[in-house]
Amino acid sequence: MSALLDIRNLSVAFDTDDGLLTAAENVSFSINPGEVVGLVGESGCGKSVTALSLLRLIPMPPGKILSGEVLFDNRDLLRLPASELRTIRGRRISVIFQEPMSALSPLHRIGAQLVETLQLHLDIDHQAAWNNALDWLKKVGIPDPKERMRDYPYQLSGGMLQRVMIAMALMLEPALIIADEPTTALDVTIQAQVLELLRGMKTRESSLLLITHDLGVVWEMCDRVMVMYAAKIVEEGSRDELFNHPAHPYTQALLDSVISLTSRTKRLSSIDGQVPSPLAYPAECRFAARCKYAFDRCRRELPPLYDIAPGRRCACFLSEISNQT
Amino acid sequence: MTPLLQIHNLKTWFPIKRGVFSRTIGHVHAVDGVSLEIARGETVGLVGESGCGKTTLGRTVMGMEPKKAGEIFLEGTPLWPARHKDTLPLRRRVQMIFQDPYSSLNPRMTIQEIVTEGLLQQKLIHPQARAETAKSLLHEVGMEPSILHRYPHEFSGGQRQRISIARAISVRPELVICDEAVSALDVSVRAQVLNLLIDLRASHNLAYLFISHDLGVIRHIANRVVVMYLGVVAETGPASEVLDRPAHPYSRALISAIPVPFGEMRQRIILHGDVPSSANPPSGCRFHTRCPYAIAACAEQIPPLEPIAPGSPRLVACIRKHELRSLPSILA
């Protein structure tokens, strides 16, 4: 099966007063048609920047894409003229942002924003677009959709706005949806509603790239998972493989610090120390200072991302060793 | 024995003002008749979704919001007196840790000034002992003493939260209100800070009112849980029992909605619609508009918070609580 989206060696950095900040470094992965892929990591690891760079949605400057290719429909999105990129944004690849309140225009009614999106990409008249938008608000479970079309974003709750965002992302039936922490700003019961909605989307053939820090959400939603740490992908695998047999010490530690609802341990395991500064990443393994398995080599060189099994990658010297034996 | 903190039928309302003359046209019933007790050294977890009144409850206990009705007692002493002179000794006994470590530390104060300000205000130490005391406080929360003269912006979220904790415990309080104290932190750091809070609870015999929407965290730290919905208590009881076998339909939905890895959840209850406005709460049981088990009587009768069985420490505010006990468990 050929991949829908293929990202190769993507590196993104930001110019700051304190120097060049590395946000993503040599990130490579692909997404297959219909697949739900999770990109997880803690704040500042570069997961959002990676996802937003695919559509060149990061502010440039100060941001800059240092290297890499993003292949989609045999075209490199990073080198496409802006006019062509606009025909892909929204139509073929759409984005659901974390904060719907700041992603929607506060000055335009919900209906107008949905209709604009439709008319921009499809050759339909206002009435047809209006009806189409209304249909989608119904599909994402918004009560009284007719009235809501005439509302401004501030009149809707966070959960309702996120549904509007989802409707907007889905209505052009894109091949790929990038969801950047779509439920982080929502309460758990509302989050459950939104996840249910996104899960229903799986049947619609679209691929989903889900960016989140919540391992529970990843478990419930994703087929395949990539873990990022300090601007690099450190592990990749199918959901079951990665959760049940984490290969990278960081993934293991991350899974250990998840607080279980059922078992009651006396003490939570935590990861000591801190993430190194993105302004000056060390030349060695970036997790070495916090890793309980670190040995000499980890403190000398940066481990590459090893292929450890079909569909499994891990950036740890220990996986190289265990693979050879 | 008198409990350390006793809250009886507490109400905190906020006026809604409109028009040129700021006429009060109604009230947000943020906390609308809540009673609870915390014993010395006990941790009570207060859970619920945004807007349920959990933060307002904490702030009212802290004296940061005026109460509309009801009583708060700290070991029999009513909170909060009107005069500042009388407030000061009580302030020492109740401290607070806030959610956002970025806005709760004064950016113009050094770490030493931050952690010893309360002590000086309370005249518990001599100004000359400032550095010494600050060092030992920082040591207690696992920070280097060398940071004394640095400023909050130089630290990460987790470190700032440790500094907030040092400030809170500096005056040897008896009760600490933790308002979403670990919610803004990443998982790995959250575990560090939770472990610290648990250690300090033992070494200082602290009681916590632990406000959080994260039930995993509550499960880990709390002895008892209070579930709030729209300003009222839906259910309360020992943490393990409430979280494993929630009895109120709202607690069931809330707990089942948490995404957890490894398929711990057997059943998911998806609630429909949004939380109603607390300016105009629904009649009868406040949850009846979203409750999958609501019957006609739920809209008329305000359910009392009663023991689920005679003498049980578990109180549930649901008129159908006995019928609903036979529902299957939501956890695998």
Side-chain angles (χ1 to χ4, degrees):
Chain A
M1 188 159 60
S2 73
L4 172 74
L5 184 82
D6 201 358
I7 298 146
R8 294 180 189 160
N9 290 321
L10 178 69
S11 292
V12 186
F14 289 86
D15 271 321
T16 69
D17 291 343
D18 302 317
L20 199 65
L21 182 148
T22 314
E25 197 175 311
N26 285 325
V27 172
S28 302
F29 64 91
S30 58
I31 298 170
N32 295 319
E35 197 180 26
V36 179
V37 177
L39 191 56
V40 286
E42 298 180 86
S43 21
C45 73
K47 54 190 192 301
S48 287
V49 168
T50 302
L52 297 180
S53 305
L54 306 181
L55 288 172
R56 308 215 303 255
L57 287 172
I58 54 165
M60 290 191 274
K64 52 186 173 190
I65 291 166
L66 301 176
S67 69
E69 288 179 320
V70 176
L71 300 176
F72 179 78
D73 281 351
N74 296 321
R75 287 183 290 182
D76 182 359
L77 299 184
L78 298 182
R79 280 165 195 83
L80 224 51
S83 57
E84 262 184 75
L85 187 62
R86 272 199 296 274
T87 64
I88 290 177
R89 282 182 188 157
R91 179 78 185 90
R92 304 274 297 134
I93 303 179
S94 61
V95 186
I96 301 168
F97 295 96
Q98 175 173 356
E99 303 237 346
M101 193 60 105
S102 50
L104 292 165
S105 161
L107 301 177
H108 297 91
R109 296 176 198 271
I110 303 282
Q113 299 191 45
L114 292 167
V115 166
E116 185 197 15
T117 310
L118 285 166
Q119 288 199 300
L120 210 58
H121 292 286
L122 305 176
D123 184 24
I124 50 173
D125 64 23
H126 186 271
Q127 191 54 49
W130 185 271
N131 292 338
N132 195 344
L134 193 62
D135 262 4
W136 273 99
L137 288 191
K138 261 183 231 156
K139 279 187 207 167
V140 296
I142 290 183
D144 309 322
K146 264 196 185 128
E147 282 72 57
R148 295 295 85 76
M149 289 280 278
R150 290 187 181 82
D151 279 348
Y152 288 97
Y154 78 90
Q155 291 170 296
L156 271 65
S157 67
M160 282 300 136
L161 281 182
Q162 201 56 292
R163 285 164 191 270
V164 172
M165 283 294 291
I166 291 172
M168 197 180 263
L170 294 181
M171 68 191 177
L172 290 155
E173 291 173 3
L176 172 68
I177 295 155
I178 299 172
D180 185 9
E181 304 264 11
T183 58
T184 306
L186 307 176
D187 273 316
V188 273
T189 60
I190 308 296
Q191 166 170 284
Q193 295 172 356
V194 170
L195 291 181
E196 186 76 9
L197 193 62
L198 286 172
R199 212 173 292 124
M201 204 187 71
K202 265 189 177 175
T203 51
R204 252 184 221 107
E205 306 277 298
S206 297
S207 301
L208 177 67
L209 175 61
L210 183 68
I211 294 118
T212 180
H213 67 277
D214 189 330
L215 292 164
V217 172
V218 171
W219 172 269
E220 297 209 341
M221 300 291 297
C222 298
D223 305 318
R224 199 151 54 84
V225 188
M226 279 158 314
V227 181
M228 270 187 96
Y229 182 77
K232 292 184 85 76
I233 290 183
V234 293
E235 184 165 0
E236 177 188 341
S238 70
R239 180 197 75 171
D240 291 358
E241 271 290 309
L242 192 122
F243 274 79
N244 293 318
H245 310 287
H248 197 283
Y250 174 65
T251 316
Q252 293 169 9
L254 204 58
L255 286 168
D256 281 345
S257 50
V258 171
I259 304 169
S260 164
L261 267 182
T262 44
S263 74
R264 191 162 204 185
T265 45
K266 262 268 166 288
R267 214 167 163 78
L268 290 170
S269 63
S270 59
I271 313 177
D272 288 333
Q274 286 178 62
V275 186
S277 161
L279 290 165
Y281 281 128
E284 71 259 26
C285 170
R286 288 168 191 177
F287 189 59
R290 306 173 78 186
C291 180
K292 56 183 172 188
Y293 306 110
F295 56 103
D296 307 346
R297 194 177 169 194
C298 308
R299 300 190 186 92
R300 277 199 319 267
E301 37 179 318
L302 190 65
L305 196 53
Y306 295 109
D307 285 308
I308 54 171
R312 288 280 275 145
R313 295 188 296 167
C314 176
C316 180
F317 290 125
L318 288 170
S319 341
E320 185 202 24
I321 296 161
S322 59
N323 222 25
Q324 282 165 352
T325 51
Chain B
M1 207 177 92
T2 6
L4 178 63
L5 182 79
Q6 228 175 337
I7 299 173
H8 185 67
N9 202 19
L10 182 72
K11 290 185 184 181
T12 309
W13 290 7
F14 297 106
I16 306 167
K17 301 199 171 186
R18 284 286 149 76
V20 215
F21 301 109
S22 292
R23 230 163 22 95
T24 302
I25 55 158
H27 285 92
V28 173
H29 303 221
V31 176
D32 211 12
V34 171
S35 303
L36 69 91
E37 288 180 358
I38 303 179
R40 217 163 248 290
E42 189 188 32
T43 299
V44 171
L46 192 55
V47 300
E49 295 178 275
S50 37
C52 74
K54 56 190 194 301
T55 293
T56 305
L57 179 70
R59 291 174 61 92
T60 312
V61 173
M62 193 63 203
M64 295 163 80
E65 307 290 352
K67 59 180 196 279
K68 157 109 183 155
E71 285 112 32
I72 310 170
F73 295 102
L74 188 69
E75 267 193 331
T77 318
L79 300 181
W80 284 93
R83 290 189 307 173
H84 183 68
K85 190 166 77 74
D86 306 326
T87 317
L88 204 61
L90 291 169
R91 277 256 178 275
R92 188 195 65 75
R93 303 173 64 188
V94 190
Q95 288 288 311
M96 188 155 183
I97 300 166
F98 297 89
Q99 171 168 16
D100 182 6
Y102 291 85
S103 58
S104 59
L105 298 177
N106 187 336
R108 288 162 177 258
M109 286 166 81
T110 63
I111 305 307
Q112 173 178 311
E113 286 167 348
I114 288 170
V115 299
T116 56
E117 191 190 16
L119 286 165
L120 290 175
Q121 178 80 16
Q122 296 276 353
K123 300 196 170 59
L124 294 172
I125 56 161
H126 194 272
Q128 279 171 352
R130 229 177 158 166
E132 248 350 274
T133 321
K135 271 184 201 162
S136 77
L137 280 168
L138 289 173
H139 176 75
E140 273 192 272
V141 297
M143 300 277 289
E144 291 290 317
S146 59
I147 65 163
L148 278 186
H149 300 291
R150 289 165 67 183
Y151 288 89
H153 74 262
E154 299 174 57
F155 298 96
S156 68
Q159 291 172 314
R160 284 177 203 224
Q161 212 55 318
R162 285 173 189 269
I163 295 165
S164 301
I165 293 169
R167 174 177 63 182
I169 62 162
S170 67
V171 293
R172 309 283 140 182
E174 290 149 57
L175 173 69
V176 177
I177 298 166
C178 305
D179 185 9
E180 302 274 8
V182 296
S183 309
L185 308 175
D186 272 318
V187 265
S188 66
V189 183
R190 175 166 27 182
Q192 291 174 11
V193 174
L194 269 184
N195 284 336
L196 173 67
L197 286 171
I198 290 169
D199 291 344
L200 291 172
R201 174 172 69 187
S203 60
H204 291 247
N205 193 26
L206 294 173
Y208 289 135
L209 177 60
F210 203 94
I211 302 165
S212 182
H213 67 276
D214 187 331
L215 295 164
V217 168
I218 291 288
R219 158 106 221 198
H220 194 73
I221 198 166
N223 311 111
R224 222 144 47 75
V225 177
V226 175
V227 183
M228 277 183 76
Y229 185 77
L230 270 184
V232 295
V233 175
E235 176 166 6
T236 167
S240 51
E241 285 184 35
V242 173
L243 296 177
D244 288 352
R245 289 179 301 280
H248 194 283
Y250 175 65
S251 334
R252 283 175 64 89
L254 185 70
I255 292 163
S256 83
I258 311 163
V260 282
F262 306 113
E264 284 181 344
M265 206 66 74
R266 185 194 286 169
Q267 190 198 354
R268 164 141 299 139
I269 303 159
I270 308 267
L271 290 179
H272 295 286
D274 271 333
V275 183
S277 157
S278 46
N280 185 18
S283 63
C285 171
R286 296 191 175 189
F287 186 56
H288 85 263
T289 53
R290 299 171 81 199
C291 181
Y293 309 105
I295 49 174
C298 294
E300 287 148 25
Q301 235 174 299
I302 295 176
L305 189 63
E306 285 174 341
I308 194 154
S312 164
R314 287 192 66 187
L315 310 179
V316 180
C318 176
I319 55 170
R320 298 189 70 193
K321 57 181 176 288
H322 297 298
E323 300 163 62
L324 298 179
R325 288 204 85 174
S326 52
L327 289 171
S329 163
I330 51 172
L331 289 171

